[in-house]
Amino acid sequence: MTHIFPRVLDRELPEAVAADGAWITTADGHRFLDAAGGAIVVNVGHGERAVIDAMTAQLGRTQYVHGTMFTTAALERFADEMAPMLPLDDARIYPVSGGSEAVETALKLARAFHLARGQQSRFQVIARRSSYHGNTLGALDASGKEPLRKPYTPWLGRFLHAPAAYEYRCENPQHPQACGAWHASELERMIAQAPPNSVAAFIAEPVAGATLGAAVPCDDYWTAVVEVCRRHGVLVIADEVMTGVGRTGAWFAMDHWGVRPDIVTAGKGTTSGYVPFGFAAVSGAVFEAISTTGFVHGFTWSHNGLGAAAAGAVLRVLRERELVARAASLGERLRGELASALADTPIVGDVRGLGLMIGIEFVRDPGTKEPFARADRVAERVATAARDQGLLLYPSTGHVDGRDGDLIMLGPPFVLTDDDAATLVERTVAAVGSVA
Ligand SMILES: Cc1ncc(COP(=O)(O)O)c(C=O)c1O
């Protein structure tokens, strides 16, 4: 009997005792290839000495000092090194403990910006359908993933949701013609339907995460929707909690389209999972406005030196070993190999992604894209088959209509060796094949 309230209630979990590179070892001696980096988190791999040493050194200096009373060298150094990497001009970084906190902070920063400029009317947030921004109530309200929202419906409903940028099942009736323009006009229609000057922010993942399995928008999506936001005084929040810090083969995914948002969130890969950490960052212009009035916000664990030490070390490991370029090239290779090895597997509808963020969508009929019934539990069965052969995948369900829809995501550490990559493809194909 355990006294833990576990994350999963339908099976007993093995005990992890060691981890190295892309592999996790359990107490009973099994080794698992961590093809999803946990939940697309472990960018620099497990057991990275440079990160562990930086954290140990920081703990030898200070352990806890409050963010309203002190700064630390670890925090200042991390922010100095991260700010120029962000797709923001003159970035200011507000460190927090994870992705959901980063999103809550970003939403409040958007509101604070408008208040500071005397625009009390601006409070409305537009997010997207089938998105994921976190499980705290504000972040969950931004999230458009129905199965996650459903139990908490009475607490939600303040935010609006625009169409997802989901090329495989695009809502544009003319798809693939003029998709960027169609998304822009949908967003503009929503802004026009809201009370005048009420929309504060548009929040979206640059590449959709687990809820849509690494769905990459059409090429002109971001420039088109950002242009609408600019014209209507709406701040753009790029939720880079999953995509940030190299995951898509660029430092931040918005770099792929050369678009500069007003606010960026990050989490997961910032510390590669070595310690809970994340941040919301704003452009210098947003910071200047808010600094005239102050920002009513704060967490006990924000501005944490240990997290900053880990995040700073991760940044240097990525840079020194050119791992972001490795994420780009390895991602392209894995996507290509998976797509060709799965081309004749009848349940595979789409293999997609960017960098080392890869999604595989399962369908009953690739011709019509009809999903499997939820009761078939296809994504779960693929993940179980993979686990049985020592491969960890990240399943997701319910994206087609709030109930049906099966995906798995892969997001391995960037330090995956070529041999590991071959094992990943072989075991993924075998797991999918066994369920097919
Ligand atoms: C895009 C995005 N935003 C926010 C979150 C929430 O992050 P966390 O689980 O660290 O609270 C996630 C987590 O998957 C995410 O992918």
Side-chain angles (χ1 to χ4, degrees), residues 168-179:
Y168 186 62
R169 299 178 190 275
C170 183
E171 292 178 51
N172 172 13
Q174 258 75 54
H175 178 84
Q177 261 89 55
C179 278

Side-chain angles (χ1 to χ4, degrees), residues 63-275:
Q63 300 74 46
Y64 180 82
V65 294
H66 197 265
T68 61
M69 299 171 192
F70 298 98
T71 186
T72 57
L75 205 51
E76 298 293 337
R77 183 177 179 196
F78 163 68
D80 285 349
E81 291 181 15
M82 177 54 89
M85 315 300 293
L86 284 160
L88 294 167
D89 298 323
D90 308 318
R92 293 287 190 134
I93 296 169
Y94 194 108
V96 295
S97 301
S100 300
E101 278 190 8
V103 168
E104 300 285 346
T105 304
L107 297 173
K108 286 190 180 174
L109 282 164
R111 171 74 176 152
F113 169 79
H114 293 299
L115 287 178
R117 301 192 347 144
Q119 299 215 317
Q120 276 83 356
S121 60
R122 288 195 187 265
F123 69 94
Q124 190 62 257
V125 173
I126 301 180
R128 296 188 307 196
R129 295 196 268 281
S130 294
S131 57
Y132 185 60
H133 299 289
N135 263 327
T136 52
L137 288 179
L140 185 61
D141 211 2
S143 303
K145 184 172 164 112
E146 279 310 319
L148 293 181
R149 297 172 58 90
K150 206 165 171 218
Y152 309 109
T153 306
W155 292 337
L156 305 174
R158 285 161 301 180
F159 297 168
L160 307 173
H161 293 88
Y166 180 19
E167 289 290 279
Y168 186 62
R169 299 178 190 275
C170 183
E171 292 178 51
N172 172 13
Q174 258 75 54
H175 178 84
Q177 261 89 55
C179 278
W182 181 81
H183 281 285
S185 70
E186 284 296 296
L187 182 60
E188 189 150 31
R189 195 173 52 77
M190 290 177 75
I191 294 170
Q193 279 172 358
N197 296 322
S198 66
V199 180
F202 172 64
I203 180 168
E205 302 147 273
V207 174
T211 54
L212 284 179
V216 183
C218 56
D219 271 347
D220 55 349
Y221 176 85
W222 274 108
T223 39
V225 294
V226 167
E227 190 276 325
V228 169
C229 291
R230 296 273 179 264
R231 219 163 0 91
H232 291 275
V234 173
L235 292 186
V236 176
I237 304 174
D239 183 355
E240 296 243 18
V241 167
M242 186 178 283
T243 52
V245 202
R247 177 52 64 183
T248 66
W251 279 100
F252 285 85
M254 291 304 253
D255 298 340
H256 290 289
W257 299 281
V259 168
R260 294 176 88 71
D262 302 292
I263 304 178
V264 171
T265 55
K268 295 181 180 277
T270 50
T271 59
S272 273
Y274 283 64
V275 65

Side-chain angles (χ1 to χ4, degrees), residues 13-19 23-28 30 32 46 392:
L13 298 176
E15 182 190 344
V17 292
W23 294 85
I24 299 172
T25 307
T26 53
D28 57 7
H30 282 95
F32 292 90
H46 299 278
L392 301 173

